[in-house]
Amino acid sequence: MEAFALDLNEMQRRPLEEAHVALLRESGTERRYAAGQMIVEPGDLMDEFIYIEDGEVELLNPRTYERDVVFTMGPTQFLGELAFLSGSRWQLPMRAVSETRVSVVPRERMLELMANVPEMSDIIVTVFAARRRRIFENNESSITLIGSDDDRAIRRIASFASRNLIPVRRLEIGCPAADAALKEAGLEPGQRAVIWGRDKVVENPSPRGLARYLGMDRPLSGEDTFDVVIVGGGPSGIAAAVYAGAEGLRALVVEDQVIGGQAGSSSRIENYMGFPTGISGADLCFRGEIQAMRLGTKFVMPRRVVSTRQKEDKDFCLTLDDGEEICAKAIIIATGVQYRRLPMENLEELEGDGVFYAATELEARFCRNSEAVIIGGGNSAGQAAMYLSRAAKHVHVLVRGKELAKSMSSYLSSRLENDPRITIHYETECTKLHGDGCLDAITIRNKSSGDESEITTPSLFIMVGAAPNTGWLEGLVELDDKGFVITGHQEHCPSPYATTTPGIYAVGDVRAGSVKRVASGVGEGSVVISSVWNFVNS
């Protein structure tokens, strides 16, 4: 959350201007609360913007319902945080201290006002962002995740939450706090659970279940036809989402894992213009997501498009992994690529239990004070090595060739080669994984000499090659022999991002011949919207 370094006290001094308040009163209704009356509960949908006219509101601890902090909110202030932009749920309960009068504006109307009055939007988004940061830093989330780091299901949920910047409170099974939380929720001690507030239990906990509970994975049935559906939430997809919203297009982003894609797992991007000290991929993409939501673009996740067909009226129908269907006048393919899986025995069984495809704060916990191994010689592998070297005793980078990939930035390869905490093993491959239930060690072999050795490690990061995510496009657009989408000047459209099917465009890493860089992906996602706008409005 380094993007939002606004102090909470400074945040408190950011009232809306009188002209903005007049718009709120004109667009909303008045509501009164008696002293001691709850205004919001954890888990309530954040479907209203609440502005305090008179009175006093206190924030409560979501588990004890005691006052959470010393300060309260009063006239000229408003409730909420970033979840308001996506229509998610309230994290913290709030209660009227004294008789309180508020102006309430429905969320959709408020988003219209924010889009039309950017000065008002700037104040609201800044305050919302500072509040989200405070929830993170003070561990105030209403979501309690109880489980062990050895539990794959718990790790999947924690990873999903961490990579999507969802604040959660984590407790180890068996600790007094965990047992107390389980008892309060009516559960037996010693079991894993996801609990909302004091006693709301998320059944069959999973990333999808958590997202549905949060309101991030909302049902789409009954939605009108979107102007454009953007499939993929990496840098190119997010950039397209920002510009689609700015151009007034009714847009939806469908992402099957986490906002940010592969770039979101990069611990530090140092060559993106405007950030001289670097920025994490997750934070960069999080900024873009907020910007797009502020402009009216909708996001749903984790949802996956499994097939697409064109209807007789030329609109497109996309089928999601749960059978739900959505319709759009145009489609932007921004699904990027995924790291290739290596043909090794036990790989699938150990994925998530020592074998990883991203190096974030969560994965770094598993290699603290131990050896970590990375397979790959590109930028992502280099960034992961630099990041993990802060926690691991030592980092080994296995490179198939005689040198680091030509695609690796010079500054990064130089750092790797000169860092005493990192050893690069050239012409080396991993031949075997050891471990029953979780990774214990790996066997490596030098391809030139044939010598084999073993590295004791609890964490292996695979970052080799790239396979495009285009299986859902079979028969709809032309692909090259590797599965990348062929784009270029078509008879029906001069755009370099047009596919062989009118109304479908491809941007970013999934596009054949694209430059695999965050900046170029952002550029493509931004530029393609002009062609989409022309198509939708033709």
Side-chain angles (χ1 to χ4, degrees):
M1 297 292 292
E2 66 259 35
F4 304 110
L6 183 66
D7 182 80
L8 188 61
N9 291 325
E10 181 182 348
M11 176 201 76
Q12 294 274 59
R13 298 192 295 270
R14 296 286 314 264
L16 294 170
E17 297 177 9
E18 188 56 41
H20 303 155
V21 177
L23 284 174
L24 297 180
R25 291 169 179 159
E26 180 183 329
S27 302
T29 57
E30 186 176 281
R31 187 180 298 165
R32 294 177 181 271
Y33 294 92
Q37 185 177 355
M38 295 300 300
I39 297 177
V40 295
E41 295 271 9
D44 289 348
L45 280 175
M46 199 176 290
D47 55 5
E48 296 177 331
F49 183 85
I50 303 175
Y51 177 83
I52 304 174
E53 300 279 6
D54 294 303
E56 186 178 12
V57 177
E58 60 183 348
L59 277 69
L60 307 177
N61 183 291
R63 286 165 288 276
T64 66
Y65 274 56
E66 296 175 352
R67 181 179 290 189
D68 193 49
V69 289
V70 294
F71 78 90
T72 58
M73 290 187 286
T76 75
Q77 295 179 294
F78 49 88
L79 311 186
E81 52 103 19
L82 286 175
F84 177 81
L85 299 178
S86 60
S88 298
R89 299 181 186 272
W90 290 91
Q91 286 272 354
L92 302 178
M94 300 182 198
R95 182 172 59 199
V97 178
S98 58
E99 184 174 338
T100 299
R101 181 171 60 91
V102 300
S103 289
V104 178
V105 183
R107 175 176 166 273
E108 291 299 328
R109 174 57 181 151
M110 191 64 203
L111 291 178
E112 290 177 9
L113 291 177
M114 291 171 65
N116 294 330
V117 188
E119 296 81 9
M120 177 171 65
S121 181
D122 290 345
I123 295 172
I124 292 172
V125 171
T126 300
V127 171
F128 280 176
R131 288 177 178 163
R132 172 64 67 87
R133 171 175 168 262
R134 178 182 181 279
I135 292 173
F136 261 94
E137 292 182 348
N138 294 1
N139 197 25
E140 294 172 338
S141 173
S142 63
I143 305 167
T144 300
L145 180 60
I146 300 174
S148 169
D149 281 343
D150 296 331
D151 189 319
R152 179 181 293 191
I154 291 296
R155 285 208 308 271
R156 287 181 63 234
I157 298 171
S159 177
F160 174 79
S162 174
R163 294 186 64 191
N164 283 290
L165 298 180
I166 301 168
V168 297
R169 174 190 182 222
R170 292 197 64 185
L171 298 175
E172 280 287 325
I173 286 180
C175 75
D179 288 343
L182 290 168
K183 182 179 180 181
E184 185 76 23
L187 301 175
E188 294 296 323
Q191 61 179 296
R192 73 181 184 204
V194 178
I195 303 170
W196 190 291
R198 287 187 294 192
D199 54 11
K200 297 177 182 177
V201 179
V202 179
E203 301 293 338
N204 301 317
S206 66
R208 179 72 177 274
L210 179 60
R212 180 60 62 95
Y213 208 87
L214 284 165
M216 299 167 61
D217 178 21
R218 65 176 68 115
L220 295 167
S221 297
E223 289 270 9
D224 294 333
T225 298
F226 289 93
D227 289 326
V228 59
V229 169
I230 302 162
V231 186
S236 58
I238 294 174
V242 170
Y243 277 77
E247 293 298 326
L249 295 174
R250 187 166 183 267
L252 172 73
V253 177
V254 181
E255 168 56 45
D256 73 337
Q257 293 185 34
V258 295
I259 297 300
Q262 279 195 7
S265 66
S266 296
S267 55
R268 192 178 183 85
I269 299 173
E270 295 193 64
N271 57 357
Y272 192 83
M273 189 186 73
F275 298 93
T277 59
I279 185 171
S280 71
D283 197 43
L284 178 66
C285 294
F286 186 56
R287 287 181 174 213
E289 181 187 8
I290 293 170
Q291 191 174 7
M293 287 192 294
R294 169 188 167 185
L295 293 168
T297 298
K298 295 183 177 180
F299 288 73
V300 290
M301 59 177 298
R303 306 293 291 276
R304 180 166 53 88
V305 177
V306 295
S307 65
T308 306
R309 60 182 174 83
Q310 193 164 19
K311 303 191 298 182
E312 291 182 3
D313 61 4
K314 301 301 183 181
D315 286 349
F316 300 96
C317 184
L318 299 89
T319 302
L320 304 182
D321 48 359
D322 61 355
E324 194 170 29
E325 292 186 338
I326 51 177
C327 296
K329 298 176 183 177
I331 297 173
I332 296 176
I333 306 165
T335 46
V337 297
Q338 59 189 1
Y339 292 119
R340 295 186 185 277
R341 302 172 77 183
L342 297 177
M344 291 189 292
E345 188 178 351
N346 297 335
L347 177 68
E348 187 173 350
E349 290 83 353
L350 293 173
E351 287 177 332
D353 287 306
V355 175
F356 308 104
Y357 296 90
T360 67
E361 180 181 357
L362 187 72
E363 288 81 19
R365 296 171 56 184
F366 297 102
C367 58
R368 190 170 301 281
N369 299 320
S370 64
E371 307 280 313
V373 181
I374 300 169
I375 302 178
N379 264 2
S380 294
Q383 289 164 350
M386 294 302 302
Y387 178 67
L388 294 174
S389 66
R390 305 174 194 170
K393 183 192 303 181
H394 198 81
V395 177
H396 301 268
V397 180
L398 311 185
V399 181
R400 182 174 54 184
K402 296 182 179 181
E403 59 183 13
L404 293 169
K406 291 182 173 60
S407 61
M408 182 180 286
S409 300
S410 176
Y411 79 89
L412 195 53
S413 60
S414 177
R415 288 184 184 178
L416 261 64
E417 290 168 342
N418 290 285
D419 194 324
R421 297 166 300 178
I422 299 172
T423 298
I424 304 174
H425 303 262
Y426 294 104
E427 294 187 278
T428 302
E429 60 186 359
C430 177
T431 59
K432 191 173 182 180
L433 307 178
H434 306 274
D436 183 13
C438 61
L439 184 70
D440 296 326
I442 66 168
T443 297
I444 64 173
R445 183 177 71 89
N446 183 282
K447 296 192 297 181
S448 177
S449 66
D451 293 339
E452 288 192 343
S453 59
E454 190 173 292
I455 299 176
T456 300
T457 178
S459 50
L460 172 67
F461 298 83
I462 300 178
M463 299 177 170
V464 294
N469 298 313
T470 54
W472 58 282
L473 290 166
E474 186 175 356
L476 191 63
V477 299
E478 187 176 353
L479 309 176
D480 69 9
D481 57 354
K482 295 181 180 178
F484 290 89
V485 181
I486 294 175
T487 61
H489 297 274
Q490 308 289 336
E491 184 177 342
H492 60 79
C493 180
S495 170
Y497 311 114
T499 70
T500 50
T501 299
I504 301 183
Y505 306 83
V507 294
D509 290 359
V510 74
R511 190 174 65 84
S514 66
V515 178
K516 307 299 188 284
R517 286 290 188 272
V518 171
S520 61
V522 169
E524 292 182 14
S526 306
V527 172
V528 74
I529 292 301
S530 62
S531 297
V532 173
W533 193 94
N534 290 333
F535 178 82
V536 168
N537 291 283
S538 61

